[in-house]
Amino acid sequence: MKTQNKIKILGVGDFAASNSSDEMLKTFGLGSCVAVIILHPATKTAGMVHVALPESTVSPAKVKSHPGYFADTGIPALLQLMATLGCKNGEKGKGMVVKLAGGAKVLDPDNIFNIGKRNVLAVKKVLWSYGLGPIAEDVGGNFSRTVTVAMDTGKITLSSPGKKDWHL
Amino acid sequence: MTEHIDNEKIMAAIEKTPLIPANTAQLVNVCNDPMHCLRDIVHVAKHDAALTANILRVVNSAAFSRSITIDTIDRAVSLLGGDIIVGMALAETAETFFKKDLTGYGGHQYDLWRHDLRTAIASKKIAEKSAGKINADVAFTAGLLHDLGKAILSDFLQGTMEKILAAIDSGQYADYPTAEKEIVGVDHGYIGYLMIKKWNLPESILDAVRYHHEPAAAQPELRPLVYAVHLGDLIAMMSGGGTGADSMHCALDPEYKKYIHLSEDDFSIILLDVEEEYNILKSTLFDQGDS
Ligand SMILES: [Fe+2]
Ligand SMILES: [Fe+2]
């Protein structure tokens, strides 16, 4: 991950959180990956993890260097980071707002390569274990998505070449 | 089959494609020989002072975080491998294409390079799983060149994105390359093939570039390689390295299973391995804006 003009850019498997009102979190061209965005309005904190695969069992060796690669290790890592910024996940997930974007697929008649869909399902399963669930999602389809989260407003902007920007 | 496109402007653009240095073509052909060894690559690279200097620069670059300085070409080649050496030579020759602003696709400068490099690495990883059926160095080179045609076709697709996306959504076109054929008469695979036809590269690479979106059309004995690039391309798109509006709008040919055996787990691991190798290589082969 790197920071450019107060924009934290998240690559595949990166996760970050911030409560500086002039910062943004951004991830480019999500294909089958899923961006899990967690907002904590009480502390004006936003976090994001760029998940590539559903489960870490496929490659446990990579968990240490990149927990964010996988839904089952990426979401706990993000929540832990947000906890250090004072974001408490209350009873049944109260206080946290979760949104999802990504999980696209290529045009595949057999659906064998639909990692995107498996990612979205895995992300939801892990969120449920924390009493959390997405209140908004923009997932699936055959296009890539770039996601920007503005910290001051919690506003999430999505963009894709050939489409007008939209919000989540 | 006619080797001509019914569009003089596109033909003129293709004809302006520069040739590659004889040394570069020789490197690709050495790697194409299944019996080649690193000595053969060293032998060719040694005759190119600029390439030798570049190889030594790359092998010692921070990305590889080595504790000692590598100062001989032999050692450098054995550490980097034939695929990277060929990649460096081609990157230099075709830089104007790789860094082209793909505005016709809604892409940006160096998007083509990033996507082609990801595809090259993914194609190589798939080839490595083929138990020797597919030459991994060749798969890397073919992946690196597969979308070169976009650098030319982009100019002829200005203002078409929204229309193409709507037509794919409504089912009028099967995928983006089909739309290119309908609108311009050819897809970027065919243009790329014409661009590199005079480079004296192995036929397998020409077929892989030409048919990467319709691998079943390739010569039967070359299909394993062409399918490896076909899959490598999709992996690159899935992991976020597309070239614009066409990303993810490409159809997977499920016939790949006849030639390549990949389990769901193999596929997942390749996805991560590509990402990690890409992150090492992206800054070493080119000095680019980076992202
Ligand atoms: Fe292509
Ligand atoms: Fe491609």
Side-chain angles (χ1 to χ4, degrees), chain B residues 108-244:
Chain B
H108 302 98
Q109 230 189 353
Y110 283 113
D111 278 354
L112 184 58
W113 168 250
R114 295 183 191 117
H115 169 70
D116 282 351
L117 181 57
R118 271 203 168 91
T119 304
I121 298 166
S123 307
K124 175 180 77 175
K125 301 270 179 210
I126 292 165
E128 283 167 353
K129 291 238 160 225
S130 73
K133 258 196 303 181
I134 309 168
N135 179 323
D137 285 345
V138 173
F140 183 91
T141 306
L144 202 64
L145 298 174
H146 83 288
D147 271 343
L148 218 54
K150 286 183 183 174
I152 285 180
L153 191 55
S154 170
D155 291 344
F156 297 88
L157 290 173
Q158 298 295 336
T160 60
M161 266 189 292
E162 287 82 357
K163 215 172 60 189
I164 292 178
L165 292 179
I168 294 173
D169 283 345
S170 73
Q172 189 190 342
Y173 301 138
D175 63 0
Y176 221 93
T178 310
E180 293 173 352
K181 278 189 196 162
E182 292 291 328
I183 292 171
V184 188
V186 275
D187 73 357
H188 62 272
Y190 189 61
I191 294 179
Y193 158 74
L194 291 181
M195 288 166 75
I196 65 169
K197 224 179 79 163
K198 293 188 193 131
W199 287 6
N200 291 322
L201 303 179
E203 205 177 356
S204 56
I205 293 178
L206 295 182
D207 257 36
V209 171
R210 180 172 181 172
Y211 297 118
H212 69 273
H213 290 295
E214 42 180 348
Q219 302 174 51
E221 68 277 18
L222 302 179
R223 273 181 215 157
L225 171 76
V226 183
Y227 272 98
V229 176
H230 178 66
L231 291 184
D233 185 23
L234 298 184
I235 289 177
M237 292 179 197
M238 289 170 68
S239 60
T243 53

Side-chain angles (χ1 to χ4, degrees), chain A residues 13-15 60-69, chain B residues 276:
Chain A
D14 284 341
F15 62 99
K62 297 207 197 291
V63 172
K64 213 172 165 196
S65 63
H66 271 99
Y69 276 148
Chain B
E276 298 192 337

Side-chain angles (χ1 to χ4, degrees), chain A residues 11-96:
Chain A
V12 178
D14 284 341
F15 62 99
S18 165
N19 51 18
S20 317
S21 61
D22 57 345
E23 272 192 341
M24 285 191 188
L25 301 175
K26 187 162 189 169
T27 193
F28 286 99
L30 289 166
S32 57
C33 297
V34 173
V36 182
I37 303 132
I38 303 182
L39 309 171
H40 188 253
T43 56
K44 291 209 163 195
T45 305
M48 177 155 75
V49 56
H50 182 146
V51 168
L53 292 172
E55 282 170 45
S56 58
T57 46
V58 71
S59 186
K62 297 207 197 291
V63 172
K64 213 172 165 196
S65 63
H66 271 99
Y69 276 148
F70 314 100
D72 62 344
T73 50
I75 293 168
L78 175 61
L79 286 170
Q80 208 169 42
L81 173 66
M82 290 181 74
T84 65
L85 296 173
C87 308
K88 292 212 172 60
N89 182 17
E91 199 62 11
K92 289 196 174 136
K94 259 189 209 142
M96 298 273 194

